[in-house]
Amino acid sequence: MPRGRLRVYLGAAPGVGKTYAMLCEGRRAMRRGRDVVVGLVETHGRPHTADLLDGLEVVPRRTTTHRGTTFTELDVDAVLARAPKLALIDELAHTNVPGSRNAKRWQDIEELLDAGIDVVSTVNIQHLESVNDVVRQITGIPQRETVPDEVVRRAHQVELVDMSPDALRRRMAHGNVYAPEKVDAALSNYFRVGNLTALRELALLWVAGKVDEQLDRYRAEHGIAATWEARERVVVALTGGPEGDTLVRRAARIAARTKGADLLAVHITRADGLPGGDPALLARQRALVESMGGTYHQVVGDDVARALLDFAQGVNATQLVLGASRRGRLAQLLTRGVGVETTALSGSIDVHMITHDEARKGRLRPSRSRAALTRRRRLTGWGVAVAGVPALTAALVPIRGGLTLPSVILLFLSMVVGVALIGGMWPAITVAVGGSLLLNYYFTPPINTFTISDPENLFALVVFVLVAAAVSTIVDLAARRTREAAQAGADAEILSTLAGHVLRGEAAVPSLLARLRETFGLTSVTLLERRPEPEQGPDDRSDPEAWRIVATSGGAPCTSPGAADTDVDVDEDLVLAARGRLLDASDRRVLEAFAAHAAVALRQERLEEEAEQARPLAEADKMRTALLAAVSHDLRTPLASAKAAVESLSATDVAWSQDDTRELLATADESLAKLDRLVANLLDMSRLQAGVLGVSAQPVAIEEIVPWAIDDLGPLSDRVKADVAAGLPEVVADPDLLERVLVNLMSNAVRYTPPGDRVLVTASAHGDVVEVRIIDRGPGIPQDAYDRVFMPFQRLGDRDNHSGVGLGLALSRGLSEAMGGALVPEETPGGGLTMIVTLPIHARAGRVLP
């Protein structure tokens, strides 16, 4: 069943007339004979809107109770059971009462569209997700009911219901929008001229982007002109903080200003695996990005600025959106920060620094401290060890007369513990050994010698060294365990991203390799397959001739496993080769997971290719079956009629009058003519498919061909009206074939045009082509069936073979293309179908088709 179409009336503010326009459209559709019902309309007490409901069938609402209050909602099941052609449903962004089947009304409408029901709905600009925060800043009123932009962008038609701010305020003052007691408050708050002007601009800009998409689609379908479009790519950096929602919406608006722009969100995960943000916030922001048509990416890197720029350059980003720093003034004086560093290194990429409510509130702290010892911490530990122990000794020597040896030992032990926490085991053991010598020389009697006279002092020094060594070992072990746990967490996070990537259907081999390259910051990633030559052996890993590249991502690909920095064997014939840096054992585990997914994706692609290769055979078999089924009737019927007429005329026992004889002869002639047309169509279709149809291209005048084609319709010619302007340039075509094309199209249009209406044939020049339009006012066909109606032996919506074998449209398109033209369908405004025959204008006499 074809999916229904969604039409949305978009307004800048309440009261501009969206519901009124929707009801007017419903009444127009009903007058045209369409089955229309009102699923749900909110009149808000406006009498002019309520009057439009008269004469329209209204589906009863569903009643539900929540917390002791009764509410009414759209009854989806009732509308589905009624199965109208068109349903009018107000307030697309409405939130349903808790306990309903769907949380949002737009989800209810999606069910109706999936059932093949066309829907007309309404929405205000402030309810679109991408501009929600901007509307709040303009009006000061948060909008809790929102609808994803992608839902409205997928609509078949979006129509702006526009009204100037002054006109809307006058409507309110006259009581046409709100009750009189609410007018003054509304005019002085939400409905101020400045607010309405800004909302109107937002609505106009949003609809302008939608119009650009429709115009590009129209130009592409009609081949008016080829354009080169530079794609804009906007990357927004997410830290996992609460400001992420603001950044995503701002980036979406920046991307929406350029048609065809891509929106990408990236989160940099540190290599130590410690989370830098709230996972719940990141999950919500990821869903927000995807609801706006963007993609979410995750990259591992210690240097956040460099990793961010590497990703942006890897995807050819043109703009980068960052949030203002959360760090305080002192921290910004000490280090430049990610934003400043990124801006300094961005090069040709435009960087947008976006302010937000969390700016300068302090950096988000991870849920657990960073215990993994970096190189900087180890160097700091050595520095404290070298400088701290002499400094402590120098401080204690002047006052050693007032200190006991256990007190001095505890102070040195504190120094050991501090160094162990900062720099790990070896700096702490060095402090322990050096400290024991200093304790012996400066604080253990006899002073200033390495001799120990009291055995208890010797025992205390030995215990000091052992405790210091134990503390250093435990701290170092804890650091290594923390690093391992953090790395495991990072691996799990990357594998989770990979699993989501595959579940969303993005498991194509190049896509997987690109994700792997950006995750580990590699130069290139290549999937290699061993060539099937039998002379190749197991020692050919460095021989490029023994391998072929299946897929690659990044820079120069590896031509053999031996040329890679890291390689993983997938199976006996497949190897994943990575170039850019060596990966450790923990990274190889993740690499192996990517390699396994890549192998599965490769097998799926090859199975799809095999199925694609077998599809023409299946189509040919299907066509033969359809031909036999169709011809079995269409050949038998005219043959039977002609045979019956001839047998009747040849009968000797019946004396036929002259009128009867003429009628029988006319029946035989008509049946044989129908049979002749059928055989001619079958032969021409077979010649078209074989590429041997003869085309005699020559200059042809459209104003001459169209009347001939109308005359060939016979009794149906009265149902066709021609409106062809004189003086059109000649086209290059075969006159006989062009006449057959027009006859086929006009007879088909007459068949579906309601009685009393006439088919209109027009012709006009556009650039270097002439378009002949055959316009009918019939039921039309769904847009997703436009290509299907041109398949041989297909008649959309028919269930029998009593109206021909279904070759007319297929043959007409084939003949048009054979003459160097095209045949495309288009919806007739107001209902119906328009067939457009496009033919090239003749440039000089004697031009022939290549």
Side-chain angles (χ1 to χ4, degrees), residues 61-78:
R61 302 189 186 188
R62 175 178 57 86
T63 302
T64 183
T65 302
H66 179 67
R67 295 181 178 178
T69 305
T70 301
F71 299 88
T72 59
E73 294 285 3
L74 171 66
D75 194 335
V76 179
D77 291 330

Side-chain angles (χ1 to χ4, degrees), residues 63 146 153 165 170 292 311 324 444 497 599 618 671 827:
T63 302
T146 59
R153 289 191 183 278
R170 282 196 300 270
M292 296 180 179
F311 173 81
T444 304
T497 302
S671 299
E827 181 182 6

Side-chain angles (χ1 to χ4, degrees), residues 254-273:
I254 293 174
R257 292 169 187 166
T258 303
K259 56 184 179 181
D262 290 336
L263 174 63
L264 303 92
V266 60
H267 172 65
I268 308 299
T269 301
R270 295 186 180 275
D272 56 23

Side-chain angles (χ1 to χ4, degrees), residues 700-714 735-736 739 742-743 746:
V700 175
I702 293 295
E703 58 264 31
E704 295 178 0
I705 294 293
V706 171
W708 295 347
I710 295 176
D711 290 341
D712 286 345
L713 293 175
D736 294 333
E739 185 178 348
L742 296 179
V743 170
M746 287 188 288

Side-chain angles (χ1 to χ4, degrees), residues 576-787:
L576 189 66
R579 178 181 288 172
R581 66 184 180 90
L582 293 174
L583 300 180
D584 55 28
S586 60
D587 290 336
R588 284 183 64 90
R589 289 196 298 269
V590 181
L591 195 67
E592 290 170 357
F594 272 93
H597 281 294
V600 172
L602 177 62
R603 296 188 185 97
Q604 290 178 345
E605 287 183 1
R606 290 181 172 174
L607 288 174
E608 291 175 358
E609 290 175 359
E610 293 176 0
E612 189 66 27
Q613 293 173 358
R615 186 170 289 114
L617 297 177
E619 292 293 335
D621 188 51
K622 181 180 178 181
M623 182 174 292
R624 283 192 295 269
T625 303
L627 175 62
L628 291 174
V631 171
S632 62
H633 175 273
D634 287 270
L635 282 178
R636 187 185 306 121
T637 300
L639 281 176
S641 299
K643 182 180 179 181
V646 172
E647 288 178 349
S648 299
L649 289 172
S650 62
T652 57
D653 56 342
V654 179
W656 300 102
S657 65
Q658 290 185 353
D659 292 339
D660 293 336
T661 301
R662 282 194 298 269
E663 184 177 353
L664 289 172
L665 288 174
T667 300
D669 181 69
E670 181 182 355
S671 299
L672 293 175
K674 184 183 297 184
L675 182 62
D676 180 68
R677 288 195 300 269
L678 173 61
V679 173
N681 285 343
L682 289 172
L683 290 175
D684 285 343
M685 180 57 67
S686 64
R687 293 191 187 103
L688 277 173
Q689 293 180 341
V692 296
L693 180 68
V695 178
S696 177
Q698 55 187 281
V700 175
I702 293 295
E703 58 264 31
E704 295 178 0
I705 294 293
V706 171
W708 295 347
I710 295 176
D711 290 341
D712 286 345
L713 293 175
L716 298 179
S717 59
D718 294 337
R719 301 283 307 280
V720 179
K721 176 185 177 182
D723 185 11
V724 179
L728 284 176
E730 293 182 328
V731 298
V732 179
D734 185 316
D736 294 333
L737 296 183
L738 178 56
E739 185 178 348
R740 289 187 59 189
V741 169
L742 296 179
V743 170
N744 279 338
L745 296 177
M746 287 188 288
S747 61
N748 190 71
V750 169
R751 183 181 305 121
Y752 292 103
T753 297
D757 289 341
R758 300 175 70 184
V759 174
L760 178 63
V761 181
T762 66
S764 56
H766 300 276
D768 58 353
V769 298
V770 170
E771 290 185 352
V772 181
R773 294 173 172 261
I774 296 89
I775 306 169
D776 68 57
R777 294 292 179 179
I781 59 175
Q783 189 171 359
D784 56 4
Y786 279 178
D787 291 331

Side-chain angles (χ1 to χ4, degrees), residues 99-121:
S100 301
R101 172 162 47 182
N102 297 308
K104 295 286 189 176
R105 183 165 293 164
W106 65 263
Q107 295 171 323
D108 295 338
I109 291 176
E110 286 290 323
E111 287 193 36
L112 301 181
L113 295 174
D114 290 338
I117 300 173
D118 293 346
V119 176
V120 180
S121 189

